[in-house]
């Protein structure tokens, strides 16, 4: 049995915010943002929630994969910005797309959310005998960004990406492949370097009401962690799959900073031709960056049966993970 991605979809809100727009709000410049991050613009929700974006990405992925809502057995959404504490974004997506026969829940791993959700989906599909899963990475970070903090507000954007994952019997799929290897990790000792204290401030004894939180980050700490952990994690999936970096067509990396991706490429000793980038258009959409980029590659016809690719990400937790796939 092979667990394969058979369809992809993505969605970003219409409203575009350029670096110059942000320079009107905080003490920053297009030049600083471009040279330090690679970002030129981002899409920001003007009211559309995480579930609405996720559902639209899901519809596009189902259409691309030729499946309907009645085919979906499992919905996993990697997100840290579900519209409500509960219900989960996955249950909201289930309602929106009419996948009444599915079970859905969210995975909280920040920017690693899609990778964690994909790995969890693969395990559940195999162990529960499900056939088709919908794996989504969706985030609405604009609602938890402090728009007066130039060190974070220039980095993020909103969006969603989705993949339909299906277990195929060998007679259905002579190409073989699918998910070949996976690796995930977390280090809670580093929680402070990237945090959003939300929904946690209420206190019974003092009568304090819950207050909305916002993102705080020690950027350089996250940078150093990412450029060390992501290549190590990629090496582990390569070893598990019995391959080396030269066998991989694309490394589809979390889009947090162009310089982070360059540094990962250098450590893997691969050229930037193998590291597709779209950060300039969307900024860091957290759990959505990897499935949005994957969807773009798929729709541009850049993925062919047999191609080996690695998806890899990192984020708050701290968390990190990678998946080796044969398309
Ligand atoms: O999904 C995971 C989420 N997070 C990340 O991946 C973040 C990883 N880290 C990074 O991408 C980078 O550390 C940043 C882009 C956040 C910052 O780049 P940096 O090269 O590490 O800059 P820095 O923090 O060392 O700041 C350099 C200077 C400082 O000024 P001084 O102290 O040198 O005078 C900052 O105050 O740049 C200043 N600065 C800015 N200037 C203009 C910080 N933010 C801005 C800004 N515009 N937006």
């Amino acid at each position: 049995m092979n667990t394969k991605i058979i369809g992809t979809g993505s969605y970003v809100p219409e409203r575009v915010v350029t670096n110059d727009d942000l320079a009107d709000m905080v003490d920053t410049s297009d030049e600083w943002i471009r040279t330090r991050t690679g970002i030129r613009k981002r899409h920001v929700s003007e009211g559309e929630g995480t579930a609405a974006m996720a559902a639209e990405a899901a519809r596009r992925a189902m259409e691309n994969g030729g499946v309907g809502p009645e085919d979906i057995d499992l919905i996993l959404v990697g997100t840290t910005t579900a519209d409500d504490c509960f219900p989960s974004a996955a249950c909201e997506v289930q309602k929106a797309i009419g996948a009444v026969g599915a079970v859905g829940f969210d995975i909280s791993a920040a920017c690693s959310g899609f990778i964690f959700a994909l790995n969890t989906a693969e395990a559940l599909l195999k162990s529960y005998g499900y056939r088709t899963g919908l794996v989504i990475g969706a985030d609405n970070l604009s609602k938890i960004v402090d728009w007066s903090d130039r060190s974070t507000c220039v980095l993020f954007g909103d969006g969603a990406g989705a993949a339909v994952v299906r277990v195929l019997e060998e007679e259905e799929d002579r190409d073989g492949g699918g998910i070949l290897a996976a690796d995930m990790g977390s280090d809670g000792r580093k929680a402070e370097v990237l945090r959003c204290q939300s929904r946690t401030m209420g206190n019974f004894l003092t009568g304090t009401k819950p207050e909305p939180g916002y993102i705080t980050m020690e950027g350089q700490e996250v940078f150093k962690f990412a450029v060390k952990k992501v290549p190590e994690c990629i090496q582990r999936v390569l070893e598990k799959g019995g391959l080396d970096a030269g066998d991989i067509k694309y490394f589809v990396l979390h889009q947090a900073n162009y310089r982070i991706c360059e540094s990962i490429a250098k450590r893997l000793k691969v050229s930037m031709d193998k590291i597709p980038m779209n950060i300039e258009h969307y900024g860091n959409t957290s759990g959505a960056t990897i499935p949005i980029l994957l969807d773009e590659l798929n729709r541009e016809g850049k993925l062919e049966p047999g191609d080996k690719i690695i998806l890899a990400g990192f984020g708050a937790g701290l968390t990190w993970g990678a998946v080796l796939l044969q398309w």
Side-chain angles (χ1 to χ4, degrees):
M1 278 192 309
N2 308 316
T3 309
K4 278 199 143 172
I5 293 180
I6 60 163
T8 62
S10 60
Y11 175 80
V12 291
E14 218 165 278
R15 174 71 193 267
V16 170
V17 175
T18 64
N19 292 347
D20 286 334
D21 293 333
L22 291 176
D24 290 338
M25 293 166 55
V26 290
D27 182 13
T28 191
S29 65
D30 174 54
E31 204 255 334
W32 191 96
I33 302 170
R34 267 191 297 104
T35 54
R36 298 277 176 145
T37 71
I39 301 166
R40 288 173 185 271
K41 59 187 174 77
R42 69 286 294 137
H43 291 247
V44 172
S45 160
E46 292 186 294
E48 251 169 325
T50 297
M53 294 190 292
E56 189 50 38
R59 284 186 199 99
R60 294 175 185 187
M62 290 192 301
E63 197 184 349
N64 182 248
V67 302
E70 65 287 354
D71 298 315
I72 306 295
D73 302 310
L74 175 70
I75 303 171
L76 295 186
V77 183
T79 186
T80 41
T81 52
D83 302 319
D84 298 299
C85 281
F86 48 82
S88 64
C91 287
E92 296 282 12
V93 169
Q94 177 183 31
K95 178 174 69 179
I97 64 173
V100 290
V103 57
F105 57 94
D106 293 352
I107 301 275
S108 173
C111 304
S112 309
F114 180 79
I115 299 287
F116 279 41
L118 184 58
N119 291 344
T120 306
E122 196 224 356
L124 289 177
L125 287 169
K126 283 190 172 151
S127 61
Y128 278 66
Y130 298 140
R131 180 160 152 80
T132 309
L134 193 50
V135 181
I136 304 170
D139 271 302
N140 187 187
L141 289 192
S142 66
K143 73 178 177 189
I144 57 165
V145 161
D146 174 358
W147 289 100
S148 66
D149 174 12
R150 70 174 184 174
S151 71
T152 54
C153 78
V154 302
L155 303 174
F156 301 108
D158 298 328
V164 177
V165 185
R166 177 163 272 185
V167 177
L168 297 172
E169 303 296 336
E170 260 146 49
E171 58 273 15
E172 290 177 289
D173 177 33
R174 282 192 219 100
D175 298 329
I179 295 178
L180 303 178
D183 192 76
M184 296 183 283
S186 62
D187 183 356
R189 294 170 302 178
K190 297 275 172 57
E192 289 311 316
V193 304
L194 183 50
R195 181 178 276 275
C196 176
Q197 275 188 313
S198 178
R199 306 161 178 165
T200 56
M201 307 295 281
N203 186 299
F204 168 67
L205 293 175
T206 61
T208 311
K209 282 189 194 167
E211 285 176 17
Y214 49 84
I215 297 173
T216 56
M217 181 176 72
E218 293 172 37
Q220 289 190 2
E221 287 303 311
V222 180
F223 195 112
K224 280 188 272 179
F225 142 77
V227 300
K228 181 169 184 295
K229 286 290 183 189
V230 176
E232 287 173 2
C233 188
I234 289 174
Q235 285 299 350
R236 275 194 297 277
V237 292
L238 284 169
E239 274 162 35
K240 287 181 190 178
L243 299 173
D244 62 44
D247 299 317
I248 304 301
K249 183 165 184 187
Y250 292 123
F251 296 85
V252 181
L253 304 181
H254 173 45
Q255 303 286 292
N257 186 320
Y258 196 93
R259 290 185 295 136
I260 291 178
C261 293
E262 272 184 332
S263 177
I264 293 170
K266 204 179 266 178
R267 283 175 196 232
L268 293 171
K269 299 191 173 59
V270 299
S271 87
M272 282 303 283
D273 298 346
K274 289 192 170 204
I275 316 269
M277 299 293 303
N278 64 9
I279 192 172
E280 65 176 307
H281 304 299
Y282 308 117
N284 178 349
T285 55
S286 190
T289 67
I290 292 171
I292 290 175
L293 186 52
L294 186 66
D295 183 45
E296 287 184 352
L297 292 170
N298 186 23
R299 283 170 196 266
E300 286 163 14
K302 292 186 173 162
L303 301 173
E304 286 168 37
D307 284 346
K308 299 198 178 59
I309 62 171
I310 286 180
L311 318 181
F314 62 92
L318 293 170
T319 54
W320 59 92
V323 187
L324 167 63
L325 304 171
Q326 183 175 316
W327 197 253

